[in-house]
Amino acid sequence: IWREIAGRLETPNRNYAEVNLSKINRYAHNGEIILVPGKVLGSGVLEQSVKVAALNFSESATSKIRDANGQCMTIEQLLKDNPKGSGVRILR
């Protein structure tokens, strides 16, 4: 999983993913770990408590994730916490 993410992040910045909270809400399950190789935007509502790792977060996305009892983290923090990458869902 980490080789795949590294390959996606080697592309130019304009090709990074931009994922709205509505998409995370649609595909994530409660307690799941979501990895976004790009930026998380605050459009939409988050109803599940999830851990989200990304390069960047908008201010509204950060507050909405924390309001849903979720956690925002960097990709480096996720790599340190979960070196095997098990149980991680990638959204782009």
Side-chain angles (χ1 to χ4, degrees):
I1 185 171
W2 301 118
R3 185 170 290 148
E4 171 71 22
I5 295 302
R8 290 184 186 184
L9 294 177
E10 287 178 349
T11 63
N13 291 354
R14 67 180 178 271
N15 293 338
Y16 286 175
E18 291 184 345
V19 176
N20 285 311
L21 287 179
S22 59
K23 185 172 185 178
I24 294 174
N25 191 54
R26 190 175 18 213
Y27 292 108
H29 302 293
N30 203 20
E32 197 170 28
I33 301 170
I34 303 296
L35 175 58
V36 177
K39 187 169 186 170
V40 177
L41 303 174
S43 178
V45 177
L46 185 63
E47 298 168 347
Q48 286 92 1
S49 174
V50 293
K51 291 183 180 180
V52 182
L55 284 178
N56 296 319
F57 294 89
S58 69
E59 289 181 26
S60 61
T62 302
S63 65
K64 287 181 180 182
I65 291 170
R66 290 189 178 140
D67 288 344
N69 295 324
Q71 182 181 355
C72 299
M73 61 176 62
T74 63
I75 295 175
E76 291 84 12
Q77 289 172 325
L78 179 61
L79 176 61
K80 186 185 290 185
D81 293 346
N82 190 355
K84 292 186 178 183
S86 59
V88 176
R89 181 178 295 209
I90 302 171
L91 290 182
R92 56 183 178 125

PDB file of all heavy atoms in Angstrom, residues 63-81:
ATOM      1  N   SER A  63     -12.674  20.540  11.281  1.00  0.00           N
ATOM      2  CA  SER A  63     -13.663  20.708  12.348  1.00  0.00           C
ATOM      3  C   SER A  63     -14.804  19.705  12.225  1.00  0.00           C
ATOM      4  O   SER A  63     -15.280  19.173  13.239  1.00  0.00           O
ATOM      5  CB  SER A  63     -14.207  22.137  12.353  1.00  0.00           C
ATOM      6  OG  SER A  63     -14.925  22.402  11.182  1.00  0.00           O
ATOM      7  N   LYS A  64     -15.249  19.395  11.010  1.00  0.00           N
ATOM      8  CA  LYS A  64     -16.336  18.431  10.834  1.00  0.00           C
ATOM      9  C   LYS A  64     -15.903  17.018  11.211  1.00  0.00           C
ATOM     10  O   LYS A  64     -16.686  16.243  11.775  1.00  0.00           O
ATOM     11  CB  LYS A  64     -16.850  18.459   9.400  1.00  0.00           C
ATOM     12  CG  LYS A  64     -17.657  19.701   9.084  1.00  0.00           C
ATOM     13  CD  LYS A  64     -18.161  19.668   7.663  1.00  0.00           C
ATOM     14  CE  LYS A  64     -18.966  20.914   7.321  1.00  0.00           C
ATOM     15  NZ  LYS A  64     -19.486  20.859   5.946  1.00  0.00           N
ATOM     16  N   ILE A  65     -14.660  16.653  10.898  1.00  0.00           N
ATOM     17  CA  ILE A  65     -14.155  15.325  11.260  1.00  0.00           C
ATOM     18  C   ILE A  65     -14.079  15.206  12.779  1.00  0.00           C
ATOM     19  O   ILE A  65     -14.486  14.210  13.364  1.00  0.00           O
ATOM     20  CB  ILE A  65     -12.788  15.053  10.607  1.00  0.00           C
ATOM     21  CG1 ILE A  65     -12.957  14.898   9.093  1.00  0.00           C
ATOM     22  CG2 ILE A  65     -12.135  13.806  11.196  1.00  0.00           C
ATOM     23  CD1 ILE A  65     -11.654  14.874   8.319  1.00  0.00           C
ATOM     24  N   ARG A  66     -13.579  16.240  13.438  1.00  0.00           N
ATOM     25  CA  ARG A  66     -13.468  16.206  14.904  1.00  0.00           C
ATOM     26  C   ARG A  66     -14.843  16.242  15.560  1.00  0.00           C
ATOM     27  O   ARG A  66     -15.046  15.631  16.611  1.00  0.00           O
ATOM     28  CB  ARG A  66     -12.599  17.350  15.383  1.00  0.00           C
ATOM     29  CG  ARG A  66     -11.149  17.131  15.002  1.00  0.00           C
ATOM     30  CD  ARG A  66     -10.215  18.115  15.627  1.00  0.00           C
ATOM     31  NE  ARG A  66      -8.852  17.783  15.245  1.00  0.00           N
ATOM     32  CZ  ARG A  66      -7.941  18.679  14.944  1.00  0.00           C
ATOM     33  NH1 ARG A  66      -8.234  19.968  14.982  1.00  0.00           N
ATOM     34  NH2 ARG A  66      -6.730  18.308  14.603  1.00  0.00           N
ATOM     35  N   ASP A  67     -15.807  16.958  14.967  1.00  0.00           N
ATOM     36  CA  ASP A  67     -17.164  16.983  15.509  1.00  0.00           C
ATOM     37  C   ASP A  67     -17.822  15.613  15.446  1.00  0.00           C
ATOM     38  O   ASP A  67     -18.684  15.287  16.265  1.00  0.00           O
ATOM     39  CB  ASP A  67     -18.029  18.000  14.758  1.00  0.00           C
ATOM     40  CG  ASP A  67     -17.648  19.433  15.089  1.00  0.00           C
ATOM     41  OD1 ASP A  67     -16.942  19.656  16.093  1.00  0.00           O
ATOM     42  OD2 ASP A  67     -18.058  20.336  14.334  1.00  0.00           O
ATOM     43  N   ALA A  68     -17.429  14.789  14.461  1.00  0.00           N
ATOM     44  CA  ALA A  68     -17.975  13.434  14.326  1.00  0.00           C
ATOM     45  C   ALA A  68     -17.164  12.417  15.129  1.00  0.00           C
ATOM     46  O   ALA A  68     -17.270  11.217  14.900  1.00  0.00           O
ATOM     47  CB  ALA A  68     -18.001  13.032  12.848  1.00  0.00           C
ATOM     48  N   ASN A  69     -16.338  12.905  16.074  1.00  0.00           N
ATOM     49  CA  ASN A  69     -15.467  12.068  16.903  1.00  0.00           C
ATOM     50  C   ASN A  69     -14.453  11.296  16.078  1.00  0.00           C
ATOM     51  O   ASN A  69     -14.048  10.195  16.432  1.00  0.00           O
ATOM     52  CB  ASN A  69     -16.278  11.108  17.784  1.00  0.00           C
ATOM     53  CG  ASN A  69     -17.108  11.842  18.796  1.00  0.00           C
ATOM     54  OD1 ASN A  69     -16.682  12.863  19.328  1.00  0.00           O
ATOM     55  ND2 ASN A  69     -18.302  11.347  19.044  1.00  0.00           N
ATOM     56  N   GLY A  70     -14.036  11.881  14.958  1.00  0.00           N
ATOM     57  CA  GLY A  70     -13.010  11.290  14.120  1.00  0.00           C
ATOM     58  C   GLY A  70     -11.652  11.877  14.442  1.00  0.00           C
ATOM     59  O   GLY A  70     -11.498  12.667  15.368  1.00  0.00           O
ATOM     60  N   GLN A  71     -10.670  11.478  13.642  1.00  0.00           N
ATOM     61  CA  GLN A  71      -9.312  11.933  13.872  1.00  0.00           C
ATOM     62  C   GLN A  71      -8.666  12.310  12.553  1.00  0.00           C
ATOM     63  O   GLN A  71      -8.797  11.575  11.566  1.00  0.00           O
ATOM     64  CB  GLN A  71      -8.508  10.820  14.555  1.00  0.00           C
ATOM     65  CG  GLN A  71      -7.087  11.182  14.883  1.00  0.00           C
ATOM     66  CD  GLN A  71      -6.354  10.024  15.543  1.00  0.00           C
ATOM     67  OE1 GLN A  71      -6.937   8.988  15.844  1.00  0.00           O
ATOM     68  NE2 GLN A  71      -5.072  10.199  15.741  1.00  0.00           N
ATOM     69  N   CYS A  72      -7.972  13.442  12.525  1.00  0.00           N
ATOM     70  CA  CYS A  72      -7.206  13.882  11.365  1.00  0.00           C
ATOM     71  C   CYS A  72      -5.739  13.592  11.636  1.00  0.00           C
ATOM     72  O   CYS A  72      -5.235  13.854  12.729  1.00  0.00           O
ATOM     73  CB  CYS A  72      -7.373  15.380  11.130  1.00  0.00           C
ATOM     74  SG  CYS A  72      -9.046  15.897  10.804  1.00  0.00           S
ATOM     75  N   MET A  73      -5.051  13.050  10.644  1.00  0.00           N
ATOM     76  CA  MET A  73      -3.628  12.766  10.802  1.00  0.00           C
ATOM     77  C   MET A  73      -2.920  12.905   9.461  1.00  0.00           C
ATOM     78  O   MET A  73      -3.556  12.901   8.415  1.00  0.00           O
ATOM     79  CB  MET A  73      -3.415  11.364  11.373  1.00  0.00           C
ATOM     80  CG  MET A  73      -3.950  10.247  10.510  1.00  0.00           C
ATOM     81  SD  MET A  73      -3.616   8.585  11.119  1.00  0.00           S
ATOM     82  CE  MET A  73      -4.453   8.574  12.647  1.00  0.00           C
ATOM     83  N   THR A  74      -1.621  13.053   9.530  1.00  0.00           N
ATOM     84  CA  THR A  74      -0.829  13.117   8.306  1.00  0.00           C
ATOM     85  C   THR A  74      -0.551  11.688   7.830  1.00  0.00           C
ATOM     86  O   THR A  74      -0.706  10.721   8.583  1.00  0.00           O
ATOM     87  CB  THR A  74       0.503  13.842   8.546  1.00  0.00           C
ATOM     88  OG1 THR A  74       1.272  13.097   9.481  1.00  0.00           O
ATOM     89  CG2 THR A  74       0.280  15.258   9.048  1.00  0.00           C
ATOM     90  N   ILE A  75      -0.112  11.584   6.602  1.00  0.00           N
ATOM     91  CA  ILE A  75       0.230  10.266   6.058  1.00  0.00           C
ATOM     92  C   ILE A  75       1.423   9.686   6.818  1.00  0.00           C
ATOM     93  O   ILE A  75       1.495   8.482   7.059  1.00  0.00           O
ATOM     94  CB  ILE A  75       0.489  10.367   4.543  1.00  0.00           C
ATOM     95  CG1 ILE A  75      -0.815  10.770   3.839  1.00  0.00           C
ATOM     96  CG2 ILE A  75       1.019   9.053   3.991  1.00  0.00           C
ATOM     97  CD1 ILE A  75      -0.674  11.019   2.348  1.00  0.00           C
ATOM     98  N   GLU A  76       2.351  10.532   7.230  1.00  0.00           N
ATOM     99  CA  GLU A  76       3.516  10.074   7.990  1.00  0.00           C
ATOM    100  C   GLU A  76       3.102   9.490   9.341  1.00  0.00           C
ATOM    101  O   GLU A  76       3.664   8.488   9.784  1.00  0.00           O
ATOM    102  CB  GLU A  76       4.510  11.223   8.207  1.00  0.00           C
ATOM    103  CG  GLU A  76       5.199  11.680   6.944  1.00  0.00           C
ATOM    104  CD  GLU A  76       4.365  12.692   6.159  1.00  0.00           C
ATOM    105  OE1 GLU A  76       3.356  13.211   6.693  1.00  0.00           O
ATOM    106  OE2 GLU A  76       4.708  12.939   4.989  1.00  0.00           O
ATOM    107  N   GLN A  77       2.119  10.119  10.003  1.00  0.00           N
ATOM    108  CA  GLN A  77       1.628   9.581  11.273  1.00  0.00           C
ATOM    109  C   GLN A  77       0.974   8.221  11.074  1.00  0.00           C
ATOM    110  O   GLN A  77       1.162   7.314  11.885  1.00  0.00           O
ATOM    111  CB  GLN A  77       0.626  10.541  11.914  1.00  0.00           C
ATOM    112  CG  GLN A  77       1.233  11.805  12.453  1.00  0.00           C
ATOM    113  CD  GLN A  77       0.162  12.799  12.894  1.00  0.00           C
ATOM    114  OE1 GLN A  77      -0.898  12.887  12.279  1.00  0.00           O
ATOM    115  NE2 GLN A  77       0.452  13.551  13.937  1.00  0.00           N
ATOM    116  N   LEU A  78       0.206   8.083   9.995  1.00  0.00           N
ATOM    117  CA  LEU A  78      -0.430   6.799   9.709  1.00  0.00           C
ATOM    118  C   LEU A  78       0.614   5.735   9.425  1.00  0.00           C
ATOM    119  O   LEU A  78       0.480   4.592   9.878  1.00  0.00           O
ATOM    120  CB  LEU A  78      -1.402   6.926   8.536  1.00  0.00           C
ATOM    121  CG  LEU A  78      -2.119   5.652   8.125  1.00  0.00           C
ATOM    122  CD1 LEU A  78      -2.979   5.105   9.261  1.00  0.00           C
ATOM    123  CD2 LEU A  78      -2.972   5.892   6.897  1.00  0.00           C
ATOM    124  N   LEU A  79       1.655   6.088   8.698  1.00  0.00           N
ATOM    125  CA  LEU A  79       2.730   5.143   8.391  1.00  0.00           C
ATOM    126  C   LEU A  79       3.416   4.682   9.671  1.00  0.00           C
ATOM    127  O   LEU A  79       3.721   3.500   9.826  1.00  0.00           O
ATOM    128  CB  LEU A  79       3.742   5.784   7.442  1.00  0.00           C
ATOM    129  CG  LEU A  79       4.977   4.970   7.083  1.00  0.00           C
ATOM    130  CD1 LEU A  79       4.575   3.685   6.379  1.00  0.00           C
ATOM    131  CD2 LEU A  79       5.908   5.776   6.210  1.00  0.00           C
ATOM    132  N   LYS A  80       3.613   5.600  10.608  1.00  0.00           N
ATOM    133  CA  LYS A  80       4.252   5.251  11.879  1.00  0.00           C
ATOM    134  C   LYS A  80       3.325   4.363  12.715  1.00  0.00           C
ATOM    135  O   LYS A  80       3.774   3.394  13.327  1.00  0.00           O
ATOM    136  CB  LYS A  80       4.588   6.512  12.659  1.00  0.00           C
ATOM    137  CG  LYS A  80       5.393   6.250  13.922  1.00  0.00           C
ATOM    138  CD  LYS A  80       5.594   7.507  14.738  1.00  0.00           C
ATOM    139  CE  LYS A  80       6.527   8.458  14.034  1.00  0.00           C
ATOM    140  NZ  LYS A  80       6.834   9.651  14.851  1.00  0.00           N
ATOM    141  N   ASP A  81       2.018   4.667  12.744  1.00  0.00           N
ATOM    142  CA  ASP A  81       1.057   3.897  13.538  1.00  0.00           C
ATOM    143  C   ASP A  81       0.720   2.547  12.919  1.00  0.00           C
ATOM    144  O   ASP A  81       0.411   1.599  13.630  1.00  0.00           O
ATOM    145  CB  ASP A  81      -0.240   4.685  13.718  1.00  0.00           C
ATOM    146  CG  ASP A  81      -0.064   5.922  14.578  1.00  0.00           C
ATOM    147  OD1 ASP A  81       0.978   6.037  15.255  1.00  0.00           O
ATOM    148  OD2 ASP A  81      -0.969   6.767  14.579  1.00  0.00           O
TER     149      ASP A  81
END
